[in-house]
Amino acid sequence: MSEINELFNKQLRIANIGLESFYKDLKAKEIDVIHVNWRPPAGGNKKMIKLLDKLKK
Amino acid sequence: MTKDRGGKMIKEKIRKANKEVIERIINGQPALVGIGKAKDTIPNMTAKTILHAGAPIEWDRMSGPLKGAIIGGLIYEGLASDEETATQLAISGEIHFEPCHHHNTVGPMAGVVTASMPVWIVENKSYRNYAYCTLNEGLGKVLRYGAYSKEVIDRLRWIETVLAPILKEALQKSGEIDLKSMTAQIIQMGDEGHNRNKAGTSLFIREIAPYVVLTSFTDVAKSEVLKFMHGNDHFFLNLSMPACKSIMDAVANTKYSTIVTTMARNGTDFGIKVAGTGDKWFVAPAEIIDGLFFSGYSAKDANPDIGDSVITETSGIGGFAMAAAPAIVQFIGGVPQDALNFTMEMYEITEAENNSYQIPSLNFRGTPTGIDIMKVVETTILPIINTGIAHKDAGVGQVGAGLVRPPMKCFEDALEEFVNILEIEGILNRKNNPKEETE
């Protein structure tokens, strides 16, 4: 509990991965944040991931 | 052979094959060596063969601009007298429709090449293979956008009887022209070699003009030729394209390579070929282009993506070199930062950087070169293509320009076939067959 409070009392440095709306919400509140342009491999297409894995091992 | 051993083997085989492909792309040395008549120059060309852009397609599925260009081609050849007789001949089965790409040829937009048309002859001096392309007709009502009115046919005849003979003789006097070095220069002069060819056209005129004036033709004809080239900012496109084609043909059919060797559109389908999957096309419906339209036209007038000009992106220029051509955004939409962003994005899906083609705004970084289907599928980043927009109806012409990407299905199907070939060869086992998986 106290550790969490400590964290939020500090200057936060936030890197957002995933949904860009989280990044935009923080940005709208003028909080320093960067958005990492990350997507799941093959857009999460399991068939393609399996094909890629076969060629990468 | 264990799965693990097989896996390690294939990873290494792919690495070696892709390295070899990249070396051959970067070592390619395209040079303009002459002009010939299509029938006498292009391999397996006949009087009743019509070449077109993209993957194979039958008449019924062809788009308006491709049908229009074929109608115009048949009229130009004297095989038909008007639209009706040309259409009857086209559906009769008497005419052989074949992709330009099957004949070491490339054609912008509809890409129609008929027997009498003059073609540029480009030789890849490093590997002694040839590529061919017609001479650019200019903008407005032109055959490559599916127009076939009298002015279009008259211009084609002028190209055959005045422009080509003068340039052919000029080339004989000048000797071959190094297109590799010219491409390297245009990338540093604000062109990307696909949708912006102002610098390329200017450099070509600078090379050829001193020899045009020495030809045996009348001063009036020579002046017409120089004015025609000067008045057409895309004149160099039809040299850029066969230069790229000659480079990419030298890497076709490289076993175990995952590098894309061909991307092309026939106006209905987008098609790709991959070095390691032989001559097989992987096709999916072509997309509509996002761009700027000429006054009076809008997206509802647009034909889906069409043309072989995407051979430029395939070899690492065009949209991939857009950071070198920020002014292009005035033609296709967006802001100069977009041009930089597109090039930066293409480094994610390519195997190498071509240090012969250096981009000043990126500290002379080489253009992103060699599209890897594994990277495209894994990142879901699709190649960016800079292109013109044809009207969907035959006979109208160009209505705008913009950006487009290929369908992901082409790359997914190619990857599946690539793995399938390795499984058939026994290099990979079929355990955990992905075909059993659903998304």
Side-chain angles (χ1 to χ4, degrees):
Chain A
M1 178 69 181
S2 60
E3 280 179 13
I4 291 284
N5 282 340
E6 227 172 88
L7 175 69
F8 284 106
N9 284 330
K10 285 181 186 166
Q11 172 76 36
L12 292 179
R13 279 184 275 183
I14 306 168
N16 184 63
I17 300 173
L19 290 178
E20 201 176 357
S21 58
F22 289 6
Y23 159 80
K24 285 180 178 166
D25 285 347
L26 291 168
K27 199 82 182 161
K29 290 183 185 301
E30 296 182 352
I31 294 169
D32 281 344
V33 56
I34 57 161
H35 181 67
V36 179
N37 187 7
W38 180 88
R39 280 178 271 195
N45 182 329
K46 287 182 184 169
K47 180 175 162 183
M48 290 301 131
I49 292 168
K50 211 150 210 176
L51 290 169
L52 289 166
D53 284 348
K54 282 191 167 210
L55 301 176
K56 281 182 165 182
K57 278 181 186 168
Chain B
M1 186 185 296
T2 68
K3 187 183 169 191
D4 282 345
R5 277 182 61 204
K8 276 176 192 163
M9 277 177 64
I10 189 55
K11 189 177 172 185
E12 184 56 17
K13 280 179 195 293
I14 292 171
R15 192 193 65 77
K16 274 189 185 164
N18 286 352
K19 185 168 177 274
E20 184 194 329
V21 162
I22 292 300
E23 276 172 13
R24 288 171 80 87
I25 291 173
I26 288 174
N27 291 339
Q29 288 286 347
L32 174 62
V33 297
I35 292 176
K37 188 175 182 173
K39 187 171 170 293
D40 307 328
T41 309
I42 295 175
N44 303 314
M45 186 73 187
T46 70
K48 291 200 170 174
T49 300
I50 289 190
L51 305 184
H52 62 78
I57 187 167
E58 61 279 14
W59 175 262
D60 288 348
R61 291 189 65 245
M62 286 180 190
S63 64
L66 180 49
K67 282 183 174 172
I70 287 171
I71 289 166
L74 291 169
I75 295 170
Y76 163 70
E77 288 294 333
L79 294 168
S81 54
D82 54 22
E83 180 186 341
E84 194 184 332
T85 53
T87 305
Q88 281 169 359
L89 182 57
I91 59 178
S92 70
E94 217 180 297
I95 304 297
H96 309 291
F97 300 118
E98 291 175 23
C100 290
H101 271 288
H102 292 189
H103 294 258
N104 307 112
T105 301
V106 274
M109 303 311 287
V112 161
V113 183
T114 63
S116 305
M117 289 182 183
V119 290
W120 296 117
I121 305 170
V122 172
E123 182 183 2
N124 183 342
K125 306 299 279 187
S126 300
Y127 303 103
R128 299 280 165 196
N129 62 297
Y130 291 84
Y132 313 94
C133 188
T134 54
L135 281 60
N136 194 287
E137 308 161 79
L139 290 173
K141 288 213 166 192
V142 286
L143 191 80
R144 72 179 185 281
Y145 279 96
Y148 53 85
S149 56
K150 186 175 178 301
E151 66 178 283
V152 175
I153 307 301
D154 287 348
R155 189 185 305 107
L156 290 174
R157 296 224 165 90
W158 177 81
I159 289 173
E160 182 188 336
T161 56
V162 180
L163 179 68
I166 291 181
L167 291 178
K168 184 176 180 174
E169 194 181 318
L171 270 171
Q172 284 161 352
K173 292 180 185 302
S174 74
E176 62 192 38
I177 293 176
D178 180 353
L179 294 175
K180 176 83 173 266
S181 139
M182 203 173 271
T183 304
Q185 291 177 69
I186 69 164
I187 296 295
Q188 299 201 358
M189 294 170 72
D191 277 4
E192 41 72 275
H194 182 172
N195 222 355
R196 194 173 203 274
N197 294 288
K198 285 173 191 275
T201 300
S202 303
L203 282 187
F204 181 73
I205 293 170
R206 217 164 78 170
E207 287 279 340
I208 203 73
Y211 302 96
V212 166
V213 299
L214 295 178
T215 58
S216 55
F217 294 81
T218 65
D219 285 349
V220 172
K222 287 186 267 191
S223 173
E224 275 180 16
V225 163
L226 291 171
K227 276 191 210 158
F228 179 78
M229 291 191 290
H230 172 62
N232 174 11
D233 281 338
H234 282 294
F235 194 73
F236 186 73
L237 173 65
N238 292 40
L239 288 165
S240 177
M241 287 174 57
C244 295
K245 171 68 173 165
S246 74
I247 289 170
M248 298 314 294
D249 271 1
V251 298
N253 295 305
T254 306
K255 210 167 178 179
Y256 307 126
S257 170
T258 53
I259 303 294
V260 175
T261 56
T262 305
M263 296 197 287
R265 316 86 103 196
N266 56 32
T268 302
D269 305 313
F270 196 109
I272 71 166
K273 289 187 185 184
V274 176
T277 54
D279 289 327
K280 187 167 180 174
W281 287 93
F282 301 96
V283 297
E287 305 281 348
I288 292 288
I289 297 144
D290 180 22
L292 297 180
F293 287 85
F294 299 161
S295 176
Y297 296 106
S298 69
K300 67 178 171 37
D301 300 304
N303 194 76
D305 195 14
I306 185 169
D308 285 337
S309 51
V310 65
I311 191 69
T312 54
E313 280 84 3
T314 315
S315 78
I317 57 170
F320 285 44
M322 223 186 312
I328 202 168
V329 297
Q330 292 177 311
F331 190 43
I332 59 166
V335 295
Q337 185 63 43
D338 297 333
L340 280 168
N341 293 345
F342 284 129
T343 294
M344 293 305 291
E345 191 185 31
M346 292 304 101
Y347 288 112
E348 301 287 326
I349 57 166
T350 45
E351 188 70 11
E353 297 175 13
N354 189 340
N355 286 329
S356 297
Y357 303 152
Q358 297 177 336
I359 303 173
S361 60
L362 296 178
N363 290 327
F364 296 97
R365 190 173 178 184
T367 53
T369 301
I371 303 162
D372 183 347
I373 56 167
M374 290 177 66
K375 290 181 179 174
V376 172
V377 172
E378 182 162 5
T379 62
T380 67
I381 296 171
L382 289 159
I384 188 78
I385 302 161
N386 235 327
T387 198
I389 306 171
H391 196 284
K392 64 185 176 186
D393 296 330
V396 181
Q398 184 176 11
V399 295
L403 293 165
V404 70
R405 302 201 190 233
M408 181 58 88
K409 187 177 188 305
C410 300
F411 297 87
E412 290 178 348
D413 288 353
L415 183 67
E416 193 169 353
E417 176 65 9
F418 186 82
V419 170
N420 188 43
I421 289 170
L422 298 176
E423 287 175 344
I424 289 168
E425 287 187 9
I427 292 169
L428 287 176
N429 65 38
R430 283 189 184 271
K431 255 191 210 170
N432 303 319
N433 191 341
K435 283 177 186 166
E436 292 159 13
E437 291 280 346
T438 53
E439 273 180 48

